[in-house]
Amino acid sequence: MSIAFSKYQGLGNDFILIDNRHSDTPIIEPEEAIVWCDRHFGIGADGVIFVLPGQNGADYTMRIFNSDGSEPEMCGNGIRCMAKFIADLEGKIDTEVTYQIHTLAGIITPEVMLDGNVQVDMGEPRLSAAEIPTSLGMVDDQVVNQSIEVDGKAWTVTCVSMGNPHCMTFVDDANAIDLATIGPKFEHHPAFPQRTNTEFVQVMRSDYLRMRVWERGAGITLACGTGACATVVAGVLTGKSDRHCSVELPGGCLQIYWSLADNRVYMTGPAELVFKGEAAQE
């Protein structure tokens, strides 16, 4: 048996997209997703995304398995790729179209724009320690400029949830961070009961941030949409950035805006089809 798929990337954060509209259950298991994501023996990707029937009034439902088989609440770059994939399935190429997508982080609204970018209403950031979740601080308090010891060093961090947990630390040189060594130690730190994504952020200007990320369940990736959103929120909370920022990631730039009017975070960036194919399923 073979399964049709499409491979998309958003700033180098790449995903295998599967049309799963015939069932409420992903057509492959997490263990198979691990094999598919392997860059030597499989297709190669940071995760597998399934387009399922909508729930609670949404047009579609998003499920995603990371390259390690874990399931995150949602994925910012992934949902841009998913919106482009759905537009392709529906034959709405070169058309402006908006979708309501049900995710484990709530309803997310991506809009495929005529210029090829996708703008996503990412919703309101969640700022209390309980919502993130983290044990850094009292449950109802924001976690801003808190100290944490990781790998024998004290780090100053700010934590934000965009439906999934993020821990940001501002550094002098983001490129100097040894992500492969320090990233897993942040991810699995006992202060984060559901593990955490970790962003190392360098302030270039108040409207321009450089960021590198260790993603929970995926490791080093070239971009993280929810991480870019959380980074701008953290920048505003710490007085380091404007509400409207370009966030430079290894794979390119995202435009992020944390609106004062409605408290929602808006992300704009590209999503591109790489190739289509069929994968064997045992």
PDB file of all heavy atoms in Angstrom, residues 39-60:
ATOM      1  N   ARG A  39      15.958  11.674   7.316  1.00  0.00           N
ATOM      2  CA  ARG A  39      16.495  12.318   6.118  1.00  0.00           C
ATOM      3  C   ARG A  39      17.423  11.414   5.310  1.00  0.00           C
ATOM      4  O   ARG A  39      17.850  11.794   4.208  1.00  0.00           O
ATOM      5  CB  ARG A  39      17.200  13.620   6.498  1.00  0.00           C
ATOM      6  CG  ARG A  39      16.253  14.629   7.122  1.00  0.00           C
ATOM      7  CD  ARG A  39      16.856  15.998   7.319  1.00  0.00           C
ATOM      8  NE  ARG A  39      15.906  16.876   8.000  1.00  0.00           N
ATOM      9  CZ  ARG A  39      14.925  17.529   7.391  1.00  0.00           C
ATOM     10  NH1 ARG A  39      14.776  17.409   6.083  1.00  0.00           N
ATOM     11  NH2 ARG A  39      14.101  18.299   8.090  1.00  0.00           N
ATOM     12  N   HIS A  40      17.731  10.235   5.823  1.00  0.00           N
ATOM     13  CA  HIS A  40      18.572   9.295   5.087  1.00  0.00           C
ATOM     14  C   HIS A  40      17.796   8.089   4.582  1.00  0.00           C
ATOM     15  O   HIS A  40      18.023   7.622   3.470  1.00  0.00           O
ATOM     16  CB  HIS A  40      19.723   8.822   5.983  1.00  0.00           C
ATOM     17  CG  HIS A  40      20.615   9.932   6.442  1.00  0.00           C
ATOM     18  ND1 HIS A  40      21.514  10.566   5.608  1.00  0.00           N
ATOM     19  CD2 HIS A  40      20.738  10.543   7.659  1.00  0.00           C
ATOM     20  CE1 HIS A  40      22.159  11.510   6.281  1.00  0.00           C
ATOM     21  NE2 HIS A  40      21.701  11.504   7.525  1.00  0.00           N
ATOM     22  N   PHE A  41      16.861   7.596   5.391  1.00  0.00           N
ATOM     23  CA  PHE A  41      16.132   6.385   5.042  1.00  0.00           C
ATOM     24  C   PHE A  41      14.659   6.643   4.728  1.00  0.00           C
ATOM     25  O   PHE A  41      13.931   5.709   4.376  1.00  0.00           O
ATOM     26  CB  PHE A  41      16.241   5.360   6.171  1.00  0.00           C
ATOM     27  CG  PHE A  41      17.652   4.895   6.410  1.00  0.00           C
ATOM     28  CD1 PHE A  41      18.405   5.440   7.440  1.00  0.00           C
ATOM     29  CD2 PHE A  41      18.229   3.937   5.590  1.00  0.00           C
ATOM     30  CE1 PHE A  41      19.709   5.019   7.656  1.00  0.00           C
ATOM     31  CE2 PHE A  41      19.532   3.513   5.798  1.00  0.00           C
ATOM     32  CZ  PHE A  41      20.278   4.061   6.838  1.00  0.00           C
ATOM     33  N   GLY A  42      14.205   7.890   4.867  1.00  0.00           N
ATOM     34  CA  GLY A  42      12.814   8.226   4.606  1.00  0.00           C
ATOM     35  C   GLY A  42      12.686   9.384   3.637  1.00  0.00           C
ATOM     36  O   GLY A  42      13.585   9.633   2.823  1.00  0.00           O
ATOM     37  N   ILE A  43      11.587  10.104   3.733  1.00  0.00           N
ATOM     38  CA  ILE A  43      11.351  11.272   2.883  1.00  0.00           C
ATOM     39  C   ILE A  43      12.184  12.446   3.364  1.00  0.00           C
ATOM     40  O   ILE A  43      12.779  13.177   2.584  1.00  0.00           O
ATOM     41  CB  ILE A  43       9.851  11.644   2.892  1.00  0.00           C
ATOM     42  CG1 ILE A  43       9.020  10.475   2.371  1.00  0.00           C
ATOM     43  CG2 ILE A  43       9.585  12.901   2.074  1.00  0.00           C
ATOM     44  CD1 ILE A  43       7.542  10.579   2.693  1.00  0.00           C
ATOM     45  N   GLY A  44      12.218  12.617   4.687  1.00  0.00           N
ATOM     46  CA  GLY A  44      12.959  13.722   5.294  1.00  0.00           C
ATOM     47  C   GLY A  44      12.060  14.900   5.592  1.00  0.00           C
ATOM     48  O   GLY A  44      11.462  15.490   4.682  1.00  0.00           O
ATOM     49  N   ALA A  45      11.891  15.212   6.886  1.00  0.00           N
ATOM     50  CA  ALA A  45      11.044  16.343   7.281  1.00  0.00           C
ATOM     51  C   ALA A  45      11.187  16.594   8.769  1.00  0.00           C
ATOM     52  O   ALA A  45      11.700  15.751   9.514  1.00  0.00           O
ATOM     53  CB  ALA A  45       9.574  16.068   6.949  1.00  0.00           C
ATOM     54  N   ASP A  46      10.715  17.762   9.195  1.00  0.00           N
ATOM     55  CA  ASP A  46      10.647  18.079  10.621  1.00  0.00           C
ATOM     56  C   ASP A  46       9.376  17.539  11.262  1.00  0.00           C
ATOM     57  O   ASP A  46       9.268  17.500  12.484  1.00  0.00           O
ATOM     58  CB  ASP A  46      10.719  19.594  10.835  1.00  0.00           C
ATOM     59  CG  ASP A  46      12.086  20.177  10.481  1.00  0.00           C
ATOM     60  OD1 ASP A  46      13.093  19.512  10.773  1.00  0.00           O
ATOM     61  OD2 ASP A  46      12.133  21.279   9.901  1.00  0.00           O
ATOM     62  N   GLY A  47       8.403  17.149  10.431  1.00  0.00           N
ATOM     63  CA  GLY A  47       7.165  16.615  10.974  1.00  0.00           C
ATOM     64  C   GLY A  47       6.216  16.183   9.867  1.00  0.00           C
ATOM     65  O   GLY A  47       6.410  16.504   8.690  1.00  0.00           O
ATOM     66  N   VAL A  48       5.194  15.420  10.256  1.00  0.00           N
ATOM     67  CA  VAL A  48       4.140  14.986   9.331  1.00  0.00           C
ATOM     68  C   VAL A  48       2.834  15.640   9.764  1.00  0.00           C
ATOM     69  O   VAL A  48       2.439  15.550  10.931  1.00  0.00           O
ATOM     70  CB  VAL A  48       3.977  13.451   9.342  1.00  0.00           C
ATOM     71  CG1 VAL A  48       2.887  13.031   8.358  1.00  0.00           C
ATOM     72  CG2 VAL A  48       5.300  12.760   9.006  1.00  0.00           C
ATOM     73  N   ILE A  49       2.172  16.313   8.840  1.00  0.00           N
ATOM     74  CA  ILE A  49       0.934  17.039   9.124  1.00  0.00           C
ATOM     75  C   ILE A  49      -0.224  16.358   8.398  1.00  0.00           C
ATOM     76  O   ILE A  49      -0.130  16.037   7.207  1.00  0.00           O
ATOM     77  CB  ILE A  49       1.040  18.508   8.697  1.00  0.00           C
ATOM     78  CG1 ILE A  49       2.106  19.227   9.533  1.00  0.00           C
ATOM     79  CG2 ILE A  49      -0.310  19.223   8.828  1.00  0.00           C
ATOM     80  CD1 ILE A  49       2.383  20.647   9.086  1.00  0.00           C
ATOM     81  N   PHE A  50      -1.321  16.167   9.119  1.00  0.00           N
ATOM     82  CA  PHE A  50      -2.517  15.520   8.583  1.00  0.00           C
ATOM     83  C   PHE A  50      -3.645  16.544   8.497  1.00  0.00           C
ATOM     84  O   PHE A  50      -3.933  17.253   9.464  1.00  0.00           O
ATOM     85  CB  PHE A  50      -2.945  14.366   9.486  1.00  0.00           C
ATOM     86  CG  PHE A  50      -1.855  13.373   9.764  1.00  0.00           C
ATOM     87  CD1 PHE A  50      -0.983  13.575  10.827  1.00  0.00           C
ATOM     88  CD2 PHE A  50      -1.692  12.251   8.968  1.00  0.00           C
ATOM     89  CE1 PHE A  50       0.037  12.670  11.101  1.00  0.00           C
ATOM     90  CE2 PHE A  50      -0.684  11.337   9.224  1.00  0.00           C
ATOM     91  CZ  PHE A  50       0.190  11.548  10.296  1.00  0.00           C
ATOM     92  N   VAL A  51      -4.305  16.605   7.327  1.00  0.00           N
ATOM     93  CA  VAL A  51      -5.488  17.451   7.148  1.00  0.00           C
ATOM     94  C   VAL A  51      -6.708  16.582   7.391  1.00  0.00           C
ATOM     95  O   VAL A  51      -7.078  15.751   6.558  1.00  0.00           O
ATOM     96  CB  VAL A  51      -5.534  18.060   5.742  1.00  0.00           C
ATOM     97  CG1 VAL A  51      -6.802  18.904   5.577  1.00  0.00           C
ATOM     98  CG2 VAL A  51      -4.297  18.902   5.480  1.00  0.00           C
ATOM     99  N   LEU A  52      -7.339  16.744   8.553  1.00  0.00           N
ATOM    100  CA  LEU A  52      -8.496  15.943   8.955  1.00  0.00           C
ATOM    101  C   LEU A  52      -9.774  16.769   8.809  1.00  0.00           C
ATOM    102  O   LEU A  52      -9.728  17.998   8.665  1.00  0.00           O
ATOM    103  CB  LEU A  52      -8.335  15.475  10.403  1.00  0.00           C
ATOM    104  CG  LEU A  52      -7.382  14.304  10.670  1.00  0.00           C
ATOM    105  CD1 LEU A  52      -5.932  14.734  10.552  1.00  0.00           C
ATOM    106  CD2 LEU A  52      -7.616  13.725  12.059  1.00  0.00           C
ATOM    107  N   PRO A  53     -10.940  16.118   8.882  1.00  0.00           N
ATOM    108  CA  PRO A  53     -12.199  16.874   8.848  1.00  0.00           C
ATOM    109  C   PRO A  53     -12.262  17.892   9.984  1.00  0.00           C
ATOM    110  O   PRO A  53     -11.669  17.703  11.043  1.00  0.00           O
ATOM    111  CB  PRO A  53     -13.260  15.777   9.022  1.00  0.00           C
ATOM    112  CG  PRO A  53     -12.598  14.515   8.588  1.00  0.00           C
ATOM    113  CD  PRO A  53     -11.155  14.657   8.970  1.00  0.00           C
ATOM    114  N   GLY A  54     -13.008  18.960   9.756  1.00  0.00           N
ATOM    115  CA  GLY A  54     -13.121  20.019  10.753  1.00  0.00           C
ATOM    116  C   GLY A  54     -13.889  19.589  11.988  1.00  0.00           C
ATOM    117  O   GLY A  54     -14.702  18.666  11.958  1.00  0.00           O
ATOM    118  N   GLN A  55     -13.607  20.289  13.090  1.00  0.00           N
ATOM    119  CA  GLN A  55     -14.320  20.082  14.345  1.00  0.00           C
ATOM    120  C   GLN A  55     -14.787  21.436  14.876  1.00  0.00           C
ATOM    121  O   GLN A  55     -14.192  22.468  14.593  1.00  0.00           O
ATOM    122  CB  GLN A  55     -13.413  19.439  15.403  1.00  0.00           C
ATOM    123  CG  GLN A  55     -12.819  18.105  15.042  1.00  0.00           C
ATOM    124  CD  GLN A  55     -11.893  17.597  16.133  1.00  0.00           C
ATOM    125  OE1 GLN A  55     -12.117  17.804  17.319  1.00  0.00           O
ATOM    126  NE2 GLN A  55     -10.828  16.919  15.726  1.00  0.00           N
ATOM    127  N   ASN A  56     -15.862  21.415  15.650  1.00  0.00           N
ATOM    128  CA  ASN A  56     -16.342  22.623  16.333  1.00  0.00           C
ATOM    129  C   ASN A  56     -16.507  23.806  15.388  1.00  0.00           C
ATOM    130  O   ASN A  56     -16.178  24.940  15.725  1.00  0.00           O
ATOM    131  CB  ASN A  56     -15.384  22.998  17.471  1.00  0.00           C
ATOM    132  CG  ASN A  56     -15.232  21.883  18.491  1.00  0.00           C
ATOM    133  OD1 ASN A  56     -16.166  21.138  18.750  1.00  0.00           O
ATOM    134  ND2 ASN A  56     -14.042  21.757  19.067  1.00  0.00           N
ATOM    135  N   GLY A  57     -17.020  23.529  14.193  1.00  0.00           N
ATOM    136  CA  GLY A  57     -17.293  24.597  13.239  1.00  0.00           C
ATOM    137  C   GLY A  57     -16.122  24.995  12.366  1.00  0.00           C
ATOM    138  O   GLY A  57     -16.274  25.842  11.479  1.00  0.00           O
ATOM    139  N   ALA A  58     -14.944  24.412  12.581  1.00  0.00           N
ATOM    140  CA  ALA A  58     -13.777  24.736  11.772  1.00  0.00           C
ATOM    141  C   ALA A  58     -13.861  24.051  10.412  1.00  0.00           C
ATOM    142  O   ALA A  58     -14.563  23.052  10.235  1.00  0.00           O
ATOM    143  CB  ALA A  58     -12.502  24.308  12.496  1.00  0.00           C
ATOM    144  N   ASP A  59     -13.119  24.584   9.444  1.00  0.00           N
ATOM    145  CA  ASP A  59     -13.098  23.999   8.105  1.00  0.00           C
ATOM    146  C   ASP A  59     -12.356  22.672   8.092  1.00  0.00           C
ATOM    147  O   ASP A  59     -12.762  21.712   7.423  1.00  0.00           O
ATOM    148  CB  ASP A  59     -12.426  24.966   7.127  1.00  0.00           C
ATOM    149  CG  ASP A  59     -13.156  26.288   7.022  1.00  0.00           C
ATOM    150  OD1 ASP A  59     -14.377  26.272   6.776  1.00  0.00           O
ATOM    151  OD2 ASP A  59     -12.505  27.338   7.193  1.00  0.00           O
ATOM    152  N   TYR A  60     -11.242  22.626   8.804  1.00  0.00           N
ATOM    153  CA  TYR A  60     -10.405  21.429   8.848  1.00  0.00           C
ATOM    154  C   TYR A  60      -9.782  21.307  10.235  1.00  0.00           C
ATOM    155  O   TYR A  60      -9.826  22.244  11.040  1.00  0.00           O
ATOM    156  CB  TYR A  60      -9.280  21.507   7.789  1.00  0.00           C
ATOM    157  CG  TYR A  60      -9.788  21.559   6.378  1.00  0.00           C
ATOM    158  CD1 TYR A  60      -9.886  22.779   5.700  1.00  0.00           C
ATOM    159  CD2 TYR A  60     -10.187  20.406   5.715  1.00  0.00           C
ATOM    160  CE1 TYR A  60     -10.367  22.840   4.398  1.00  0.00           C
ATOM    161  CE2 TYR A  60     -10.664  20.459   4.401  1.00  0.00           C
ATOM    162  CZ  TYR A  60     -10.751  21.676   3.759  1.00  0.00           C
ATOM    163  OH  TYR A  60     -11.232  21.735   2.479  1.00  0.00           O
TER     164      TYR A  60
END
